[in-house]
């Protein structure tokens, strides 16, 4: 049997698909990811299952839609009995580890209820979303919540950056003209360099830690989730990346006055959020986007370093590299900031997969436009590791045939994403109960439809309006399309995998055999 | 503070609502349940959440739809982190115990994954569906699967009934004319008396065990789930109940030739099941139904004994009594046997609640026609125990206002039930994959609609066809009604409570307060 491949599962945070060179950005420099795409398969239509960190990541890790796993928003604890990547790969002999962010919130009440120690053994793995926490760092450490043992902070201390929270004071702060410390939380400071040396930045540190893990793992097949925090806010890049891109390198915002004028009430409420109002100002975009681009190029440079490391160690030909992001960032497009809604800028994600083995030669260098979903990764990993499919839990589908350049005739013709925005101020503006602050997206080849509970839907004709500037959600001429899209959502909801504890195969074996088991009901 | 009420939660198995005197059966004798109804509230439109033991019971115990908890059919293990009645009542100081059947299948793979010992402590409770197993007995013990330690069998041994499985050989077998032992599994034997003395039958034994529990519980508030196995098959009653009802006491079958002729393909496939073909014969109905009625009257007599016991102990004025069933039994109606589909004979259940306290005086003796669902019991129990509502998990609603004779203006106007029939032979006949052997029911005041995945729906006009003899599921004149019903199912599916680990109240408190927690995103 051939050796099982290692899986290097790299995630950027809040990185839009269209901010990579290989995805068509005209000015950004991402040569290493471009090379990865040239040597693998680049998915042009890959979607996050929730346009927010927590919900999206839990979908990546469980292989299940946000609706199904329930942890649809940040810090909604993941149910204890949701299986994650580690549950699928460990029985195949893999070491499954994390360096970086998961945004996993453990269901501590659930641990107490079942008498499980969340600090060791299976409890620790469940608490850490199935990953051995080689380095867990969710990357957002306000002074109020900073963990005194945060490894990155202690490491920075050792490098000569003092204080309880050098993550904030150095890695995510800058200096004003008079040497005063300015927090990177404020976007007005995004044009200045971070107070750490580049080699001490989060991106550099996490890359180093990944290499340490790979060295330590040795011959055991491994799956490493290398989960970078950047280019997520605080939008602060270390020199020289802070100044790598000028105003002329940024793209015009995708927004029109008519769009703001005619906005759906839910979108309008998001347009009134602080981040949206700020990103509506050119001044903000001109400060933040260069930093965002610089952070992305920095990430790419470190990936180059990491890819070279794999080569040097002679394991690049048996390591499948996956690069993706948890969701995008509006950056002022559609008069919005952040994410949470379902425009392409928010819900579409980069997805590049390089399987070095000959079986994937057919897809090498190709741009695949088949619909991919974040939930496809876990079943792909299981497939690569040689495990049996688990359709009673995994709602995605292995990407292996697409990587081989095949086009399975029964591949999906729609993608789905859903979101809970109950914690966002828009819920209050809209007067919604928590349970009503939900949205469901379906996109097909031509249409994107977003259902809201108490407000009219959104409908975009991606065929004629790829920039999504014209909402047909209330257009009388499109009721038939909307009905069809509601039908797709209805079909999708009925088919969620909530019977997780018994597989189809076992049920099929038991069909009609009650009598053999001794239960003679209905017999004369 | 007033003492918390005890809760006596009685369930019969496979007992149709219309087989009780107080529900209008013209010949059956159920004086004790009739008296309970006269002194409490009788729900005329109560529905099981799945027309099958396992799925229905898991809905009763979790307070959640079968779709939501996932254990939609018999022996589908319940997810480890589904909370059940015990999880809600124990923190309120209750002892929560079981005497009889739950049909709970534990997710042993889940236990192993989390390193939980399923034999003690919280593991034992999770394995037993949240109940302290004072007496666990699922009541179906073919020789192939009989537990050598089954308490009822060992007790029968002690009473002089020998062998490894006296449950079968005595309690559920009869004797032929030459003294030969005939198994009660065969319906042709249902007219003969069981080989046990009545006092040693399952119904008598479980009633005794309930009294032992109540005696032992003493002053601690308790919730006892007394869950009888009968009148579920094997349809065998002990003397004198086996001969209590003659052919003239049974009701004509609710079925027409036209109904069989025009049957929906799914219903037709069920009509071809062995139990359906047998119940289509008058000979079978005339042997089985008298036994079914006798078993029901026997149950009623033992409930009379139990209610008297509560009175004697002086606790009847602080014990809320709930009587229900997990689903019905076609008994040949609609050319069907067993259950699994959604005609009233199968999915409607008896539900009688007697709250002896003055607060329920307004509903005393009333027949409530508000829609009740099995999932309403768990939230009712929590309400009675004085606990806070848990809408993030509990999908039902406390019946307390209805018991008080109130009619809340926002009470539901539709009920839902869903079913997986993948293990029934009909799936094979219909050529369905396991995932497609699903059905979803919604009923409103006037209509009942059943959605199938790969076949036309059912539609019954209960206003004009309460016997459900005319299926309008393919009638061209009713497409608008069907569309409306599909819309109700779509709405219902979107609102399932799958975000179980965090409550609405906490989310509401966190809405818009990221900044206070130190996360300054979007700030200039």
């Amino acid at each position: 049997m051939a050796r099982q491949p290692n899986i290097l599962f790299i995630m950027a945070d809040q990185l839009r698909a269209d901010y990579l060179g290989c995805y068509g950005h005209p000015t950004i420099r991402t040569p290493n990811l471009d090379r990865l795409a040239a040597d693998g398969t680049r998915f042009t239509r890959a979607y996050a299952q929730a346009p927010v960190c927590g919900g999206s990541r839990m979908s990546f890790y469980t292989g299940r839609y946000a609706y199904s796993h329930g942890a649809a928003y940040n810090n909604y604890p993941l149910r204890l009995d949701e299986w994650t990547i580690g549950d699928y790969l460990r029985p195949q002999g893999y070491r499954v580890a994390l360096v970086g962010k998961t945004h996993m919130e453990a269901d501590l009440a659930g641990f107490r209820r079942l008498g499980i120690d969340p600090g060791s053994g299976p409890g620790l793995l469940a608490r850490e979303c199935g990953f051995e926490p080689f380095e867990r760092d969710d990357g957002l450490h306000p002074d109020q919540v900073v963990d005194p043992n945060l490894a990155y902070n202690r490491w920075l201390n050792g490098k000569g950056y003092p204080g309880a929270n050098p993550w904030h004071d150095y890695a995510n702060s800058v200096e004003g003209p008079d040497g005063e410390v300015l927090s990177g939380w404020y976007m007005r400071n995004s044009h200045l360099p971070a107070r750490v040396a580049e080699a001490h930045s989060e991106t550099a540190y996490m890359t180093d830690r990944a290499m340490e893990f790979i060295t330590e793992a040795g011959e055991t097949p491994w799956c490493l989730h290398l989960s970078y925090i950047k280019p997520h806010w605080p939008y602060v890049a270390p020199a020289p990346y802070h100044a790598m891109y000028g105003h002329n390198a940024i793209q015009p915002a995708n927004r029109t006055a008519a769009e703001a004028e005619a906005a759906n009430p839910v979108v309008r409420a998001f347009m009134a959020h602080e981040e949206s109002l700020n990103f509506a100002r050119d001044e903000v975009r001109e400060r933040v986007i260069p930093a965002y681009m610089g952070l992305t190029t920095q990430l790419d440079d470190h990936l180059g370093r990491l890819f070279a490391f794999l080569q040097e160690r002679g394991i690049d030909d048996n390591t499948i590299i996956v690069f993706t992001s948890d969701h995008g960032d509006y950056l002022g497009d559609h008069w919005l900031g952040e994410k949470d809604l379902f425009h392409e800028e928010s819900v579409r994600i980069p997805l590049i997969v390089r399987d070095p083995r000959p079986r994937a030669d057919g897809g090498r260098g190709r741009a695949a436009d088949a619909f991919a979903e974040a939930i496809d990764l876990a079943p792909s990993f299981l497939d690569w590791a040689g495990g049996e499919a688990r359709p009673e839990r995994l709602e995605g589908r292995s990407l292996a045939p697409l990587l081989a350049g095949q086009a399975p005739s029964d591949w999906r013709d729609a993608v789905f994403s859903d979101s809970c925005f109950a914690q966002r101020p828009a819920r209050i503006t809209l007067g919604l109960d928590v349970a009503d602050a939900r949205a469901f997206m379906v996109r097909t080849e031509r249409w994107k439809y977003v259902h809201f509970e108490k407000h009219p839907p959104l409908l975009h004709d991606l065929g004629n309006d790829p920039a999504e500037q014209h909402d047909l959600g209330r257009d009388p001429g499109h009721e038939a399309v909307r009905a069809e899209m509601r039908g797709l959502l209805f079909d999708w909801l009925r088919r969620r995998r909530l019977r997780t504890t018994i597989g189809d195969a076992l049920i099929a074996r038991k069909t009609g055999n009650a009598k053999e088991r001794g239960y003679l009901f209905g017999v004369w």
Side-chain angles (χ1 to χ4, degrees), chain A residues 170-225:
Chain A
Y170 292 89
N172 288 283
S173 285
V174 300
E175 284 180 23
D178 303 318
E180 70 275 28
V181 178
L182 302 171
S183 172
W185 286 111
Y186 298 97
M187 297 195 290
R188 70 160 66 89
N189 300 325
S190 296
H191 60 305
L192 296 169
R195 297 181 74 213
V196 279
E198 198 280 327
H200 301 151
S201 66
E202 290 173 282
T203 297
Y205 174 77
M206 294 301 161
T207 309
D208 293 346
R209 291 291 286 151
M211 294 193 278
E212 286 168 34
F213 169 81
I214 292 166
T215 302
E216 184 185 300
E219 293 300 304
T220 312
W222 49 260
C223 171
L224 174 64
H225 182 37

Side-chain angles (χ1 to χ4, degrees), chain A residues 15 20 22 30-38 296 299-300 303 307 323 352:
Chain A
L15 174 63
L20 294 177
C22 54
T30 53
N32 294 295
L33 286 167
D34 299 349
R35 205 171 305 122
L36 190 75
T296 303
L299 180 61
D300 184 90
L303 291 179
F307 298 162
F323 177 82
I352 303 168

Side-chain angles (χ1 to χ4, degrees), chain A residues 315-466:
Chain A
I315 56 174
D316 64 320
D317 62 348
N318 197 42
T319 300
I320 300 175
I321 299 175
V322 176
F323 177 82
T324 188
S325 173
D326 56 350
H327 53 76
D329 190 329
Y330 276 111
L331 295 172
D333 292 339
H334 306 289
W335 307 101
L336 294 165
E338 280 279 280
K339 49 254 182 180
D340 283 305
L341 294 176
F342 299 93
H343 297 91
E344 295 287 279
E345 290 85 352
S346 171
V347 74
R348 189 169 77 111
I349 50 176
L351 177 61
I352 303 168
V353 182
R354 174 183 173 273
D355 181 343
R357 301 169 302 170
R359 67 187 73 180
D361 285 349
R364 217 169 291 292
R366 288 176 64 159
D369 62 1
F371 283 131
E373 296 186 294
I375 56 174
D376 295 336
L377 293 192
S380 298
F381 295 3
L382 179 59
D383 188 5
W384 294 333
E388 246 184 274
R390 296 299 294 263
E392 75 275 16
R393 288 183 176 268
L394 290 168
E395 296 185 309
R397 195 166 159 182
S398 170
L399 296 169
L402 300 172
L403 298 178
Q406 296 157 13
S409 60
D410 62 345
W411 197 257
R412 65 173 70 91
D413 50 16
V415 288
F416 298 86
S417 190
D418 67 279
S419 166
C420 172
F421 56 91
Q423 281 188 208
R424 301 309 316 281
R427 177 175 74 77
I428 309 291
T429 324
L430 295 163
L432 292 173
D433 288 341
V434 166
D436 289 328
R438 290 280 280 160
F440 294 87
M441 178 206 90
V442 50
R443 98 147 270 191
T444 61
E445 182 66 31
R446 178 162 175 194
W447 302 100
K448 184 187 286 182
Y449 178 86
V450 178
H451 175 92
F452 298 118
E453 288 303 305
K454 301 286 181 188
H455 291 94
L458 299 175
L459 179 68
H460 289 289
D461 180 348
L462 297 174
N464 293 305
D465 173 29

Side-chain angles (χ1 to χ4, degrees), chain A residues 24 116 385 417 491:
Chain A
I116 305 165
S417 190
D491 294 344

Side-chain angles (χ1 to χ4, degrees), chain A residues 224-243:
Chain A
L224 174 64
H225 182 37
L226 170 56
S227 186
Y228 290 103
I229 289 114
K230 298 299 183 185
H232 191 285
W233 41 260
Y235 300 111
V236 174
Y241 296 98
H242 76 292

